[in-house]
Amino acid sequence: MLQFPKDFLWGVSTSAYQIEGAWNEDGRGESVWDRFAHRPHNVADNHNGDVACDHYHRMPDDVALLKTLGMPAYHFSISWTRVLPAGCGAVNPAGLDFYDRLVDELLAAGITPMAVLHHWDFPQALQELGGWVNRASVDWFTDFARVMFNRLGDRVPLWATFNEPWVIAFLGYGSGIFAPGVCDYSQAYQTLHHLLLAHAKTVQLFRQDNHAGEIGIVLNPDHFIPATNRAEDIAACQRAYDENVGMFLRPLVFGEYPAQFMDWLGVHRPTIFPGDLAQIKGSFDYLGVNYYRTSTVTHDVGGGLLKAKIHSVSEPGWGRTEMDWGIHPAGLTHVLLDWKENYGNPKMMVTENGAAFPDAPDDTGAVNDPARINFLRAHIEATHAAIRQGANVRGYFAWSFMDNFEWASGYRPRFGLVYVDYPTQKRTPKASAHWFGRVAQQNGL
Ligand code: PNW
């Protein structure tokens, strides 16, 4: 049996817009994802999160299910516009109450709550003031964080500011395939800087106000491999790594952006005020690692600002997921060891890892998903391998608790450990849910 360290934290993750639904109920304000998904052709089959898993109305049952499955921890995000409908200003008591009840339900069930302040559902009213490109966004975010810390800080031991700031900056403002759908790399890099600054100021606030517990930020590193050992592929690989990892970890750990990559950006370099980087340096207690992919990188003049073509690959013998992502468990070991060796071995948690497969109930209503069990087992083994080599990894969370709204891909890809029949909202734990619950209970494989 592969045993994990004592106090290793196991759990499952979700995010607000992907599961809650109730998009315009009890005073919730509009987010950029509401706006984006309501516009035709942005999301596959024109799906949207209006109803999603109806978690807003089914929350107590969903927490009871987490308990039945034996999940020790639950990683969820907070809908900013449920709490502050216009993004700033008046608080919506009903929205704040929802998260208060969620935390109480979790604690009563013996489940550790881990709250992410922002998982992409930015207030539309603030988008109209420029969104993350406006430096005022730093204050908008810290004001929202203050409301949440004051209400839940006495009961939530683990916080994260942002989930995957890379996705917000580069898919939201760069390629524009995600909300708010902006296609402008100057805005993307300015967004990146403001996200890190908002993160840092929020951590300062958390520490100044002496909240118990720990706070960090969740990144989404790929493991990158040059497609060949030609110098130009190696250079392209370094650029892909810098955009995805270096631009976040170098400022967070060392207080500087990667110099060579900043030169490459030229006119797209963000505006940085004196003192910003000093505030970003060291602004975390732990780092979240969302790992999905290993990618090869080829120099390609048609490959946008990076001049790189990035292609996700599988280890031999592994197929591909329903998202057509490769499956490469060893990449997770590489990422954790990279962070150990090159960024001072911070406290790390795997905060998301999982895959979409075409799951369906059989004649008896059971959902058998051996492919997902194999996927999770191999990645849990890869996490263990990194720990054996000294990486300071403290937890592992599977994405996702249940099937949900998979952003621009709509509801077709099913990442859940629990199957959701959307027309009836019936939840059926897949075989992987029972399997993963046992792994968590035994603290090992
Ligand atoms: C993560 N990409 O997203 C998110 O944190 C989840 O909300 C999401 O459901 C999960 O992974 C599965 O996709 C990503 O295209 C989505 O590079 C897309 C990308 C990266 C991360």
Side-chain angles (χ1 to χ4, degrees), residues 190-191 249:
Q190 194 62 59
T191 291
L249 281 188

Side-chain angles (χ1 to χ4, degrees), residues 18 119-120 163-164 292-293 325 352 399 406-407 415:
Q18 293 179 273
H119 193 132
W120 312 353
N163 177 74
E164 303 187 350
Y292 289 95
R293 288 177 313 206
W325 294 354
E352 284 183 24
W399 181 270
E406 178 51 31
W407 306 111
F415 275 88

Side-chain angles (χ1 to χ4, degrees), residues 13-15 18 75 119-120 163-164 166-167 171 177-178 218-220 222 244 290-293 323 325 351-356 399-400 404-407 409 413 415:
S13 300
T14 61
S15 90
Q18 293 179 273
H75 189 254
H119 193 132
W120 312 353
N163 177 74
E164 303 187 350
W166 180 90
V167 170
L171 304 190
I177 64 165
F178 281 6
V218 176
L219 306 181
N220 59 303
D222 276 28
N244 180 230
N290 290 355
Y291 175 75
Y292 289 95
R293 288 177 313 206
M323 304 282 283
W325 294 354
T351 32
E352 284 183 24
N353 174 238
W399 181 270
S400 177
N404 59 46
F405 177 74
E406 178 51 31
W407 306 111
S409 307
F415 275 88

Side-chain angles (χ1 to χ4, degrees), residues 73-105:
Y74 178 57
H75 189 254
F76 62 94
S77 82
I78 293 161
S79 157
W80 183 338
T81 57
R82 223 180 259 298
V83 175
L84 294 162
C88 58
V91 170
N92 173 33
L96 198 49
D97 284 352
F98 172 73
Y99 296 104
D100 199 71
R101 282 185 279 122
L102 169 62
V103 168
D104 282 346
E105 292 274 351

Side-chain angles (χ1 to χ4, degrees), residues 106-176:
L106 289 166
L107 292 174
I111 299 167
T112 302
M114 190 164 173
V116 181
L117 289 166
H118 189 62
H119 193 132
W120 312 353
D121 43 1
F122 187 81
Q124 181 61 36
L126 298 179
Q127 193 61 41
E128 277 148 33
L129 302 178
W132 290 112
V133 178
N134 185 339
R135 194 175 161 102
S137 58
V138 174
D139 295 327
W140 300 332
F141 183 74
T142 28
D143 288 344
F144 161 55
R146 181 180 296 108
V147 172
M148 298 317 304
F149 293 156
N150 287 345
R151 184 65 178 264
L152 304 180
D154 58 336
R155 282 159 294 152
V156 172
L158 283 165
W159 293 86
T161 51
F162 293 104
N163 177 74
E164 303 187 350
W166 180 90
V167 170
I168 301 173
F170 296 105
L171 304 190
Y173 289 78
S175 68

Side-chain angles (χ1 to χ4, degrees), residues 35 39-40 50 70 92 126 192 205 217 235 240 352 356 381 412:
R35 180 67 61 99
R39 204 161 52 203
D50 290 3
N92 173 33
L126 298 179
L192 183 162
L205 172 74
I217 184 167
E352 284 183 24
E381 287 170 358
R412 190 182 48 83

